[in-house]
Amino acid sequence: MSSAPGTVVVVGSVNVDQVVTVTRHPRPGETLIGTGVEQLPGGKGANQAVAAARRGATTAIVGSVGRDAAADVATSLLAGSGVDLTHLRAVDAPTGFAAVTVGADGENTIVVVPGANLATGAAAVAAAAPVVAGASVVVLQGEIPADGITAAAAAATGRVVLNLAPVVPVPRDVVLAADPLVVNEHEAALVLAQLDGDDPGQAQMGAAETDLVRSLLAHGVRSVVVTLGARGALVGGAHGAGDDLLTVPSPRVHAVDSSGAGDAFVGALAASLAAGTTLAAAVHHAVRVGAYAVQRVGTQPSYPTLDDTLPGAVATDPTRGTT
């Protein structure tokens, strides 16, 4: 893997997703008849790597899979999208698994069993330190052990995109290394509680997104992107400390499946940043990629390549002229 500018290295999870479609989500204790089931590649790390590669970035992934048949499913679209798998290790544990239920309204519930992803700790990341250090953008999430996240942030010499989802306890320095920290509004409240030293139960759930972003910036986070689903995204710190917040609306589309849309956003954001665009321009691009993804079933199969037309007004695409 070259250390040339423009590279994205994702340190994260690789899963198989079992996607069950239902007319509506079951209530506790209720049994429903599903309308379909499918096994697809997934995992936040793999999703984000595929999204970045499909949007033109030279991309590698650092992670772990099992020595099982599920690993072939989990890595199929990584390989097909041109992601460098040199630092994807096979370990003696089952490949990570996610049970995804998708309702007719496109909303989803997800239960993740980490499996082999638990092997992507500090030692595994240390073995891949040269490729992490050589990346223009290093992308991290919360589906691997915290010491792996910490080791990757320490090894990075380029820009760190931290999508702390799920929110797991990490050292304060890791959060402050993020540029940007990418979270949804619920995760933003949990990260803020972590920085305040509060119990997660005291997180400011329901607080205004603008207040959450300003509070995170006040703690010293370099930049913050709060994803807002169909409403788009809110950006703080795009032009340095103290600048006004930027709201980036999402194109209006008919959502079929929202699972993996946040990962499509993060991968596209990383690809744009690696290409040298501003954070504001990268978020505009990422919002359109996320809107494209929710119109299709599944995670990785729903991500656009550079040959696909993104929804929304025609605008300059940081990774490829116009779309």
Side-chain angles (χ1 to χ4, degrees):
M1 179 78 182
S2 170
S3 60
T7 58
V8 172
V9 171
V10 180
V11 182
S13 57
V14 182
N15 293 339
V16 170
D17 290 349
Q18 181 170 284
V19 182
V20 177
T21 53
V22 293
T23 54
R24 63 173 177 82
H25 291 281
R27 301 179 181 88
E30 181 183 17
T31 299
L32 287 181
I33 302 298
T35 58
V37 63
E38 191 172 8
Q39 281 205 332
L40 298 169
K44 294 189 72 64
N47 291 349
Q48 292 169 6
V50 168
R54 288 191 170 191
R55 295 310 293 170
T58 300
T59 307
I61 187 165
V62 176
S64 306
V65 293
R67 305 180 195 277
D68 52 20
D72 294 333
V73 177
T75 59
S76 58
L77 285 183
L78 283 166
S81 300
V83 176
D84 184 342
L85 305 183
T86 303
H87 300 280
L88 185 64
R89 306 184 312 150
V91 300
D92 293 325
T95 297
F97 174 82
V100 183
T101 304
V102 181
D105 58 359
E107 291 298 323
N108 65 81
T109 60
I110 304 174
V111 177
V112 177
V113 181
N117 294 306
L118 294 177
T120 309
V125 174
V131 74
V132 175
S136 297
V137 176
V138 175
V139 183
L140 307 171
Q141 332 77 33
E143 288 188 341
I144 62 171
D147 65 345
I149 300 169
T150 302
T157 61
R159 191 165 192 159
V160 174
V161 175
L162 175 62
N163 175 218
L164 200 55
V167 178
V168 295
V170 294
R172 182 184 185 88
D173 288 351
V174 173
V175 180
L176 299 187
D179 188 16
L181 169 69
V182 183
V183 284
N184 63 28
E185 61 266 42
H186 306 297
E187 293 156 355
L190 291 169
V191 174
L192 183 58
Q194 189 176 124
L195 291 175
D196 285 334
D198 294 335
D199 184 277
Q202 298 177 321
Q204 301 175 31
M205 296 301 181
E209 295 99 353
T210 53
D211 291 341
L212 292 170
V213 171
R214 290 192 172 99
S215 294
L216 288 165
L217 293 173
H219 271 284
V221 181
R222 299 179 191 184
S223 59
V224 179
V225 177
V226 174
T227 56
L228 304 173
R231 292 186 289 138
L234 179 66
V235 187
H239 305 292
D243 68 305
D244 291 337
L245 304 186
L246 171 66
T247 299
V248 180
S250 173
R252 292 193 175 190
V253 297
H254 174 66
V256 173
D257 180 5
S258 63
S259 59
D263 296 333
F265 178 100
V266 171
L269 179 77
S272 292
L273 292 174
T277 69
T278 65
L279 178 58
V283 173
H284 276 279
H285 173 236
V287 161
R288 297 176 69 206
V289 170
Y292 180 98
V294 300
Q295 297 177 90
R296 292 154 180 82
V297 175
T299 54
Q300 294 173 29
S302 72
Y303 298 165
T305 69
L306 293 179
D307 292 325
D308 293 310
T309 300
L310 302 180
V314 175
T316 299
D317 184 330
T319 60
R320 187 204 181 193
T322 59
T323 60

